[in-house]
Amino acid sequence: MQVNFQIIRQSENAPPWVQSYDLEVEPGNTILDCLNQIKWEYDGTLAFRKNCRNTICGSCAMRINGRSGLACKENVAQEIARTQTLSDSGIPKITIAPLGNLPVIKDLVVDMGNFWQGLEAISPYVDSSGLPIPETEFTQSPQEREGLNLPGNCILCGACYSECNAIEVNPQFVGPHALAKANRLVTDSRDNQTSQRLEEYNSETTGVWGCTRCQYCNSVCPTGVEPLEQIGKIKQKILATHQHTKEPVSTAIRHRQVLVELVKSGGWIDERQFGIKVVGNSLRDLKGLASLGPLGLRMLSRGKFPWSFEPSEGTAAVRSLIESVEKSSNY
């Protein structure tokens, strides 16, 4: 079958441009097979990364028809069926572009420096310092080891990083790949730095609270790591450590706690209390309260400030559901 490949090409610090190639391919050919065909038979200047060709190394991550994935995993038939787009000549079209959120070096090759810095920021290694040294090795039960399986499947391909909305607006966010690895560390029974790690990952902008929960990282992960779920597990651990403490907590933790408190109380959020309790820390943060002023005035001027609050008819059912979840998750 004939397929048109539209490849976004670019040199460093230069504007991108599109080059078109018409290939005769088999439906089962992978996208990497097709890129190899272009490079070997049509254009040796095309640059892209590859290595294992078997969904192990993560080298060939790129955007395929607007969605980040591995070129060695996605095949022609799947992509044509998914997008059903045609070229100007009327044949099926597949568009290939470099990963997002990373600067382009050449064509489909990106500079992964920021990606690796995000990983380095979470101290991605087990730290057993301070633990008694065993005679042979640090051992784990099958149950303890099982908890490491999912985050341990990450091959650091960059697909989740490429699609991350949080990184797009805040380059200081460490990224879903790093936080998925972070949950592996705070889950590992051989690590002796859990409390320090949770404090580090508690950052409102660079850590777990910087995540926008858009689900894109889960949808593109080629190995099913589900980075968003790993981030959620870290949040649960952080919240559990602050559940009974009287120490001041961050705005992000208050946001979660107040949201649950208000929904349990009224079935949905009482917007009159939410900002005051979260940003204003229940009238204890005068600077935070002052920051609400401009927003409050705009809401008042546009008739969007609720003067009263009516609890939901299903408040009791909502409260029961939340309490059941809290009980089952030991939070």
Side-chain angles (χ1 to χ4, degrees):
M1 63 183 300
Q2 196 171 37
V3 178
N4 174 255
F5 285 83
Q6 300 275 330
I7 299 182
I8 310 301
R9 304 197 62 178
Q10 186 176 355
S11 297
E12 190 172 11
N13 299 321
W17 54 286
V18 181
Q19 187 159 3
S20 178
Y21 303 90
D22 289 340
L23 301 184
E24 193 67 37
V25 299
E26 296 296 326
N29 285 154
T30 65
I31 301 302
L32 182 58
D33 290 334
C34 300
L35 290 174
N36 282 334
Q37 184 177 343
I38 292 171
K39 188 172 183 66
W40 295 339
E41 299 179 10
Y42 294 92
D43 190 344
T45 67
L46 178 64
F48 55 92
R49 288 190 175 113
K50 63 177 181 177
N51 192 9
C52 74
R53 300 186 298 173
N54 199 33
T55 323
I56 295 174
C57 70
S59 299
C60 63
M62 57 190 68
R63 274 183 168 160
I64 304 166
N65 283 331
R67 181 178 182 273
S68 298
L70 297 181
C72 68
K73 181 180 181 182
E74 310 301 330
N75 67 41
V76 170
Q78 291 171 338
E79 286 304 314
I80 291 175
R82 184 170 70 85
T83 59
Q84 298 182 348
T85 56
L86 301 178
S87 68
D88 293 339
S89 58
I91 63 175
K93 179 178 72 172
I94 295 176
T95 302
I96 312 293
L99 292 175
N101 291 325
L102 292 165
V104 174
I105 297 175
K106 179 174 171 57
D107 298 337
L108 305 177
V109 178
V110 295
D111 183 348
M112 301 286 284
N114 291 339
F115 176 86
W116 297 121
Q117 286 176 15
L119 184 67
E120 184 178 358
I122 57 100
S123 302
Y125 44 82
V126 172
D127 187 346
S128 58
S129 58
L131 292 176
I133 303 299
E135 293 183 5
T136 54
E137 60 185 10
F138 288 99
T139 59
Q140 291 182 300
S141 68
Q143 292 76 20
E144 289 172 333
R145 181 60 184 84
E146 187 177 354
L148 309 180
N149 287 344
L150 204 56
N153 286 340
C154 176
I155 59 174
L156 298 172
C157 65
C160 63
Y161 192 95
S162 170
E163 300 295 333
C164 182
N165 288 325
I167 291 170
E168 190 171 343
V169 298
N170 174 26
Q172 301 306 311
F173 179 56
V174 295
H177 69 301
L179 293 173
K181 290 288 187 184
N183 186 52
R184 184 207 181 286
L185 295 166
V186 297
T187 302
D188 199 315
S189 60
R190 300 163 297 179
D191 188 85
N192 195 34
Q193 303 296 321
T194 299
S195 58
Q196 295 91 325
R197 290 185 189 280
L198 290 177
E199 190 62 32
E200 180 183 347
Y201 305 156
N202 191 23
S203 168
E204 295 185 21
T205 54
T206 62
V208 293
W209 304 109
C211 170
T212 62
R213 303 184 297 278
C214 66
Q215 294 276 357
Y216 279 145
C217 57
N218 281 6
S219 69
V220 300
C221 179
T223 56
V225 171
E226 298 184 337
L228 181 58
E229 310 309 315
Q230 309 308 317
I231 294 171
K233 290 175 182 177
I234 298 177
K235 288 181 179 179
Q236 289 179 353
K237 293 181 175 76
I238 291 171
L239 291 166
T241 62
H242 290 276
Q243 183 181 11
H244 302 296
T245 182
K246 294 183 179 179
E247 296 178 2
V249 297
S250 65
T251 303
I253 292 178
R254 280 201 306 276
H255 185 284
R256 166 62 165 71
Q257 292 173 336
V258 170
L259 185 147
V260 173
E261 169 196 322
L262 292 178
V263 173
K264 286 173 70 174
S265 172
W268 47 44
I269 297 174
D270 183 348
E271 295 174 333
R272 302 170 307 161
Q273 299 186 52
F274 192 69
I276 294 173
K277 288 190 172 185
V278 175
V279 182
N281 195 14
S282 298
L283 304 180
R284 288 189 288 269
D285 185 346
L286 298 181
K287 185 176 179 181
L289 283 172
S291 71
L292 291 172
L295 174 62
L297 290 173
R298 288 199 302 272
M299 291 176 68
L300 284 169
S301 66
R302 298 176 186 180
K304 294 186 181 240
F305 186 84
W307 294 104
S308 61
F309 176 77
E310 292 292 333
S312 164
E313 293 181 0
T315 297
V318 170
R319 184 185 305 115
S320 176
L321 287 170
I322 293 175
E323 290 174 349
S324 295
V325 170
E326 290 174 339
K327 184 177 180 180
S328 66
S329 60
N330 296 318
Y331 167 66

